[in-house]
Amino acid sequence: MKALITGGAGFIGSHLAEALLARGDRVAVLDNLSTGSMQNIRELKKQGGFEYVIDDVLNQRLLAEMVDDADVVYHLAAAVGVKLVVESPVRTIKTNLEGTQVVLEAAAKKRKKVLLTSTSEVYGKSTRIPFSEDDDLLIGPSNKGRWSYACSKLMDEFLAIAYWKERKLPVVIARLFNTVGPRQTGRYGMVIPSFVRQALTNKPITIYGSGKQQRTFGYVGDVVGALMALMDAKDTQGEIFNIGNEVEISIEDLAKLVKKMTGSRSKLVYIPYDDAYEAGFEDMPRRVPNLTKVKQCIGYQPRTQLAETLQNVIEYERVQLKA
Ligand code: UDP
């Protein structure tokens, strides 16, 4: 089996590549290194059965060739991270919409199964906890940059399902809820790598808003296992699955936990959303996945709990800081 991973030098993509290689699959990665990095795939380059091309998914000819050469396609290439999305909305919308169009079209020509990674952001401001795949979605207005990410990924979902319905392209959609672990960078605003870096360098830990907002964090190792199982399963075509963890923690408690686990002298500071992102920024108070569907379909169980996740991230960041 040979898998093409778009965005395979990114945080989740590189973990997926590693897991596929470990079970004996061959892997080709296409990544433009916009948010990914060569460092993420440095170890993989030494392994047989691994190849990579540094280029854009929008390079249609190259992508078509790489799709031809693969049995299945994991489409992870996307503009991600709330900070990046707010700061570069044109890039977010273009990358997410056009990239997915190109991938689906190339895959449809050869009927190669595609797994599209989507996001819990599509649930928007919904307060019906936990979020289920068939729920109505509550997206904010178009003059607030954050929602462009949710809408672009939602259009990707619509398009993928349209290719399934109209062209019989096998597709499966995974809505990822705050996936975390080593190699995730804090550069684009993600909370756990940001807090861990701040704590390890004894700089202020920046809590946005009141810190009472809650999140659930899925460990990347559990998440990539689910992506592989969803790709392998026969009856997932045309379906959407939540993937993540159901255990909630407030961002304030997360900051305290990181401080404690690192033995840091950092102060906790509270920064208004308007200063952290943009004026009028809207955050979600809670976001919890209903995992019934993915549990029933592939027997998914989030095994890694937050303390272990944080320990892994702390160890990784300690090494990075020394390098
Ligand atoms: N956050 C924070 N400090 C930071 C980065 C993020 O308090 O330095 C908050 C952010 O406002 C959100 C939560 O942590 O409420 C998770 O943010 P992240 O960007 O990791 O993911 P999101 O859930 O927003 O997609």
Side-chain angles (χ1 to χ4, degrees):
M1 179 71 96
K2 181 168 182 182
L4 167 61
I5 308 175
T6 71
F11 156 54
I12 301 173
S14 63
H15 282 279
L16 175 62
E18 200 175 314
L20 287 166
L21 288 167
R23 78 167 186 191
D25 288 2
R26 289 181 295 144
V27 172
V29 159
L30 175 62
D31 200 301
N32 67 0
L33 299 184
S34 58
T35 55
S37 79
M38 286 307 289
Q39 204 204 331
N40 288 342
I41 55 171
R42 201 174 47 198
E43 290 302 313
L44 304 180
K45 278 163 49 187
K46 298 174 192 157
Q47 295 190 33
F50 180 77
E51 59 193 83
Y52 68 96
V53 179
I54 303 307
D55 208 323
D56 209 283
V57 276
L58 298 179
N59 182 343
Q60 293 194 32
R61 273 208 356 230
L62 170 69
L63 183 86
E65 248 176 62
M66 294 185 81
V67 168
D68 279 2
D69 200 40
D71 300 301
V72 295
V73 182
Y74 292 90
H75 178 43
L76 275 66
V80 290
V82 175
K83 255 211 159 86
L84 178 69
V85 165
V86 169
E87 281 160 14
S88 314
V90 173
R91 172 166 152 206
T92 307
I93 297 168
K94 269 179 76 81
T95 309
N96 294 359
L97 290 182
E98 294 175 14
T100 301
Q101 277 171 22
V102 171
V103 168
L104 291 172
E105 186 57 34
K109 288 199 174 112
K110 301 287 162 96
R111 287 262 169 93
K112 302 280 169 81
K113 186 170 180 180
V114 177
L115 181 141
L116 172 77
T117 46
S118 184
T119 166
S120 57
E121 280 274 321
V122 301
Y123 291 103
K125 295 187 275 187
S126 171
T127 49
R128 257 190 67 186
I129 300 284
F131 298 156
S132 301
E133 291 86 347
D134 287 335
D135 285 354
D136 289 338
L137 307 171
L138 193 61
I139 308 286
S142 53
N143 60 359
K144 303 219 161 124
R146 145 167 236 159
W147 303 114
S148 66
Y149 176 55
C151 277
S152 67
K153 293 304 272 188
L154 204 50
M155 274 314 298
D156 287 352
E157 291 192 11
F158 276 117
L159 193 63
I161 291 169
Y163 267 93
W164 163 240
K165 286 188 176 155
E166 211 178 306
R167 308 263 296 268
K168 291 287 159 275
L169 170 70
V171 293
V172 54
I173 296 165
R175 286 185 181 158
L176 306 185
F177 282 66
N178 293 72
T179 305
V180 294
R183 294 187 207 142
Q184 184 176 39
T185 160
R187 220 176 310 140
Y188 308 106
M190 274 78 163
V191 67
I192 286 188
S194 301
F195 281 6
V196 169
R197 272 278 164 130
Q198 290 164 344
L200 289 176
T201 51
N202 294 309
K203 295 203 175 114
I205 299 181
T206 54
I207 298 167
Y208 298 162
S210 67
K212 302 291 181 222
Q213 70 272 33
Q214 307 195 116
R215 289 295 184 273
T216 58
F217 294 98
Y219 186 63
V220 66
D222 293 333
V223 171
V224 300
L227 298 181
M228 288 157 63
L230 288 174
M231 178 65 97
D232 296 343
K234 293 278 170 282
D235 50 357
T236 54
Q237 300 168 350
E239 296 290 334
I240 301 172
F241 295 89
N242 289 336
I243 304 180
N245 192 309
E246 296 138 312
V247 182
E248 287 184 277
I249 184 168
S250 75
I251 295 303
E252 192 177 42
D253 286 346
L254 176 70
K256 289 179 189 158
L257 185 58
V258 169
K259 180 173 157 118
K260 190 168 151 220
M261 288 181 71
T262 49
S264 170
R265 297 190 306 276
S266 292
K267 278 196 271 206
L268 307 189
V269 297
Y270 292 80
I271 299 177
Y273 284 121
D274 287 8
D275 298 339
Y277 298 104
E278 64 176 356
F281 180 83
E282 299 178 310
D283 198 13
M284 273 73 77
R286 289 178 72 197
R287 182 194 270 166
V288 185
N290 180 341
L291 297 176
T292 308
K293 190 174 172 185
V294 72
K295 284 180 179 176
Q296 278 173 357
C297 181
I298 56 165
Y300 174 72
Q301 267 310 331
R303 295 188 196 286
T304 316
Q305 296 311 321
L306 188 61
E308 191 182 342
T309 298
L310 288 177
Q311 200 50 54
N312 289 345
V313 174
I314 291 165
E315 276 161 27
Y316 172 80
E317 292 294 346
R318 278 210 168 106
V319 173
Q320 299 306 302
L321 283 169
K322 276 192 203 126

